[in-house]
Amino acid sequence: MATAGLLRREREQFGSSPFTGQTTIESKIQALEDDIGATKVSNRRSCRWLNDRLLLELVPRLGADEIKGLFAPPPWGEELPLSAFCMTSSAAAWDVFRTIDMDVQANLLQFHMRQSCADRKNSRLDEDEEIALNAWHRIDRHTREVIKRNFLPDLLRMYEERVRAFIQDTRDLLALDVQDPFQRLLLHGVCEFYNVASETTSSTVREYGGDRLWKTTTIRKRSGTGAPPRITLVDFLTRKKNGCH
């Protein structure tokens, strides 16, 4: 009974709707404006009607297809058609990939990126080692045996720095005065490693107490001389000595 009385008072307070008998949105808005202007209503009722007018003005003119389109995307409307890949023999594998957990997917992608970076790094390292190995084989066998038997990294590194700078420089000629026969042999080995020509000539130098034979090693670039290898001769020999491949 209390509920019925409350509903009756609500109807008496707000009365009937001003849209009775109206079919179009424009007619309903016009009826609402006429009713508010001609009738003295409470603030609560006028606010309610004005809100109704605002909602009516915001309603778009939708057709049947447009209304259907509001509910077309899944999960409300029709299901999306299967892709061509899903309809192949690999559909089971695709379903496993499609339903994978997001955290598992992120971990797999991170692992793949790390593996790809490591593979690229190893591939480049293998390529650099192959270039250094080919450069090592350019040195004649006797000089290679001498360098391996008497490995002097500091001396070899000094010669390498001079030769590498000469290759990257615009000069066409580099002259080094190396008087020790063993050191000259190492210098010639370094030149062969970097594919530059080297030739030692002798000249007589007059000094106090008599003449002296002076040795000068002249280094020239060849037509096939390219950029210096990433791996130096000292690094290459050190890796081989330590068993690194």
Side-chain angles (χ1 to χ4, degrees), residues 1-14:
M1 296 300 293
T3 303
L6 180 61
L7 293 177
R8 183 172 59 257
R9 287 195 301 270
E10 183 72 13
R11 286 195 298 270
E12 293 175 354
Q13 181 178 2
F14 293 103

Side-chain angles (χ1 to χ4, degrees), residues 131-132 134-139 155-168 186-198 219-237:
I131 294 175
N134 293 333
W136 169 251
H137 288 161
R138 277 198 299 265
I139 306 174
L155 184 60
L156 288 174
R157 186 175 291 107
M158 181 185 66
Y159 289 152
E160 278 194 288
E161 291 175 356
R162 298 293 299 274
V163 173
R164 291 175 72 94
F166 167 69
I167 294 175
Q168 297 173 346
L186 297 182
L187 176 58
H188 285 296
V190 171
C191 292
E192 289 299 323
F193 183 84
Y194 288 98
N195 197 24
V196 293
S198 59
I219 302 174
R220 294 183 176 86
K221 297 176 184 177
R222 294 172 177 168
S223 58
T225 302
R230 295 177 182 269
I231 300 179
T232 64
L233 177 59
V234 174
D235 293 338
F236 175 77
L237 294 175

Side-chain angles (χ1 to χ4, degrees), residues 60 62-74 76-77:
L62 299 179
D65 294 337
E66 293 174 333
I67 295 176
K68 182 180 178 181
L70 295 176
F71 303 93
W76 302 284

Side-chain angles (χ1 to χ4, degrees), residues 21-123:
Q22 308 297 334
T23 58
T24 64
I25 294 178
E26 290 81 359
S27 61
K28 291 181 180 180
I29 293 176
Q30 185 62 38
L32 182 60
E33 292 178 348
D34 296 341
D35 191 74
I36 293 177
T39 307
K40 184 177 181 181
V41 296
S42 63
N43 291 334
R44 181 176 180 182
R45 189 175 185 183
S46 63
C47 289
R48 180 179 178 182
W49 286 357
L50 290 174
N51 290 336
D52 291 341
R53 174 185 175 179
L54 179 61
L55 292 176
L56 289 174
E57 290 178 343
L58 293 177
V59 172
R61 294 180 177 273
L62 299 179
D65 294 337
E66 293 174 333
I67 295 176
K68 182 180 178 181
L70 295 176
F71 303 93
W76 302 284
E78 300 175 357
E79 296 183 358
L80 290 176
L82 295 177
S83 64
F85 186 82
C86 291
M87 293 184 289
T88 61
S89 58
S90 303
W94 167 251
D95 187 69
V96 174
F97 176 79
R98 182 175 59 84
T99 57
I100 190 173
D101 183 78
M102 297 300 294
D103 294 333
V104 176
Q105 180 182 5
N107 294 334
L108 288 176
L109 291 176
Q110 292 178 2
F111 176 77
H112 175 70
M113 292 299 297
R114 288 195 298 266
Q115 288 294 109
S116 299
C117 293
D119 293 341
R120 288 194 297 268
K121 183 178 179 181
N122 294 334
S123 177

